[in-house]
Amino acid sequence: YLAIGAQKGRKIGIEGEDLEGVVSGIEFLSRINQDENETISGKVVVVGGGNVAIDVARVAVRAGGEKVNMYSLESRAEMPALEEEIHVAESEDITINNSWGPKRIIGEKGKVTGIEFMRCISVFDEEGSFNPKYDQEDTMIVEADHVLLSVGQSIDWSNILEGSDAVLNPN
């Protein structure tokens, strides 16, 4: 049994994800943990509403982010983050903006300058499956020097089994 965890961030699939200054929250945490001199500056937007997103936002504050805002698809009541984590983040001057989903990331000369959000009117469909619905007319643009995407993790198998007799059983 090999339990390697979900150590790779996910992309959202929107315009602008490849701009300089846009990274996954997991990659950001990894950079900070590997280099104590790593910093971040300016306006930081964290996209996500779970415990990892809160960790990302809190570390961004400690690493030098002047203004850190979180944007979550979910309403405050639906946020997957634990209530105590939310309170701690707010006590550290992190602003949590609920019911907003990313539409596109905006940049200039290859560097992120902002992100456009649209109002999320529901996160789950009638069957309880994740299927966000948006009000495409209710949008806002938020200035950002960094966008940290913390919308879930995935597994990076890379060549972890290389040189071993172990085989991956996808079932």
Side-chain angles (χ1 to χ4, degrees):
Y1 180 78
L2 189 61
I4 65 169
Q7 73 284 36
K8 185 176 178 184
R10 288 192 179 155
K11 293 209 173 205
I12 302 173
I14 60 172
E15 175 188 337
E17 282 182 298
D18 57 342
L19 291 167
E20 180 187 334
V22 179
V23 297
S24 76
I26 294 295
E27 181 182 338
F28 169 71
L29 291 176
S30 178
R31 285 181 188 174
I32 295 292
N33 284 330
Q34 291 176 23
D35 181 358
E36 63 186 43
N37 296 317
E38 181 82 19
T39 61
I40 195 168
S41 62
K43 296 173 186 156
V44 180
V45 170
V46 177
V47 178
N51 289 327
V52 174
I54 294 211
D55 290 344
V56 168
R58 292 180 68 204
V59 169
V61 168
R62 287 181 189 81
E66 284 110 54
K67 181 65 182 152
V68 179
N69 281 286
M70 288 181 61
Y71 288 84
S72 169
L73 283 177
E74 298 88 2
S75 67
R76 172 72 178 246
E78 294 173 315
M79 279 180 73
L82 297 173
E83 191 63 33
E84 58 261 27
E85 293 283 329
I86 295 169
H87 287 303
V88 169
E90 290 175 331
S91 75
E92 295 181 11
D93 292 326
I94 295 165
T95 304
I96 300 174
N97 302 275
N98 295 100
S99 302
W100 291 99
K103 183 174 185 177
R104 67 187 174 113
I105 300 170
I106 302 162
E108 197 172 285
K109 298 179 183 167
K111 170 95 174 81
V112 65
T113 58
I115 180 168
E116 183 176 12
F117 288 98
M118 55 191 159
R119 174 69 66 188
C120 183
I121 53 178
S122 70
V123 178
F124 303 100
D125 61 21
E126 298 76 32
E127 288 81 40
S129 298
F130 181 77
N131 188 12
K133 301 266 186 290
Y134 302 97
D135 178 348
Q136 301 275 343
E137 302 302 313
D138 189 359
T139 64
M140 68 172 159
I141 294 177
V142 177
E143 289 182 22
D145 299 300
H146 301 275
V147 174
L148 307 176
L149 303 173
S150 190
V151 293
Q153 291 84 243
S154 61
I155 297 171
D156 180 9
W157 288 99
S158 295
N159 33 354
I160 196 167
L161 301 178
E162 193 172 291
S164 77
D165 292 333
V167 293
L168 178 62
N169 181 355
N171 296 331

